Amino acid sequence: MTVDNEEQTPELNEAESPEDAGASDGTKSSRLDEEGDVAADYLEELLDIADIDGDIDIEVRSGRTYISIVSEGTEDTGLGALVGADGEVLEALQELTRLSVLTATDARSRLVLDVDGYRDRRGRELTKIAREAVDKVKESSQDLALAPMSAYERKIVHDVVADLGLVSESEGEGQARHIVVSPSDD
């Protein structure tokens, strides 16, 4: 069981909009393609203004647009500045990109933005944290509180904990919102 009693961010748990529910796959696909193009234009302009080198990759999968900004070479391109400490800048940039898409298309966006593979690396790290927490809870039969994390990160941890057969719940408010892993009731 996974419980998160807060309003979910669109990337996590948003039902399809009425337009999406009635749209044919071709219409939805073209809308997602347009969303990707608008977002890519916005991000290219931002990269130019910030004088940061990077390539933008757009992928549409599972009804969502995924945009990645990747380095063109092996040298430091400054992309780390777009991630920031604990991904805070990346989260803000994703929201700004979604607003840009909303302004251009009058449709809410569920796009996911990644910079230089940060989300993949962080996802692997969060999976490891969740597995270690499950092991500790199984060993001690005691609840375990994890460090605060974003809604996106909590979703990853909740999924891993549930897959491993334990219970997790989000507690706290704002920046202090965190997960508590508990033994299953079985």
Side-chain angles (χ1 to χ4, degrees):
M1 176 175 99
T2 301
V3 179
D4 200 336
N5 296 327
E6 72 176 313
E7 188 175 316
Q8 294 291 313
T9 61
E11 68 194 75
L12 299 178
N13 200 18
E14 179 179 274
E16 286 187 331
S17 68
E19 309 95 53
D20 289 347
S24 70
D25 287 340
T27 304
K28 187 173 181 182
S29 177
S30 65
R31 182 186 60 77
L32 293 174
D33 289 338
E34 178 186 12
E35 178 179 287
D37 290 341
V38 169
D41 289 345
Y42 173 78
L43 291 167
E44 281 181 22
E45 191 171 324
L46 179 105
L47 291 173
D48 286 344
I49 291 169
D51 196 27
I52 296 175
D53 291 328
D55 290 330
I56 298 175
D57 295 332
I58 305 170
E59 182 181 353
V60 175
R61 64 179 189 261
S62 304
R64 184 171 294 175
T65 304
Y66 289 82
I67 303 202
S68 300
I69 302 175
V70 295
S71 59
E72 296 173 336
T74 56
E75 72 280 348
D76 182 21
T77 59
L79 290 179
L82 297 179
V83 173
D86 298 324
E88 290 175 349
V89 175
L90 175 58
E91 291 296 327
L93 184 56
Q94 178 174 276
E95 289 306 311
L96 289 171
T97 304
R98 286 177 175 175
L99 285 172
S100 173
V101 171
L102 175 63
T103 300
T105 66
D106 288 330
R108 241 181 107 134
S109 172
R110 296 177 55 212
L111 73 84
V112 175
L113 177 63
D114 190 13
V115 174
D116 211 21
Y118 174 80
R119 289 205 191 272
D120 287 336
R121 288 189 306 276
R122 183 65 176 150
R124 286 190 301 273
E125 185 179 316
L126 290 167
T127 298
K128 181 180 177 191
I129 289 168
R131 288 174 192 250
E132 290 172 354
V134 164
D135 290 343
K136 287 178 184 176
V137 169
K138 283 181 177 178
E139 186 177 299
S140 70
S141 296
Q142 299 291 316
D143 291 357
L144 177 66
L146 302 179
M149 53 186 78
S150 71
Y152 181 84
E153 293 174 334
R154 288 194 310 276
K155 170 72 168 112
I156 292 169
V157 173
H158 282 307
D159 288 347
V160 172
V161 169
D163 287 347
L164 295 173
L166 293 189
V167 178
S168 61
E169 184 175 358
S170 290
E171 295 182 356
E173 298 294 325
Q175 296 292 331
R177 194 137 174 97
H178 63 280
I179 291 177
V180 176
V181 180
S182 304
S184 65
D185 294 331
D186 298 340

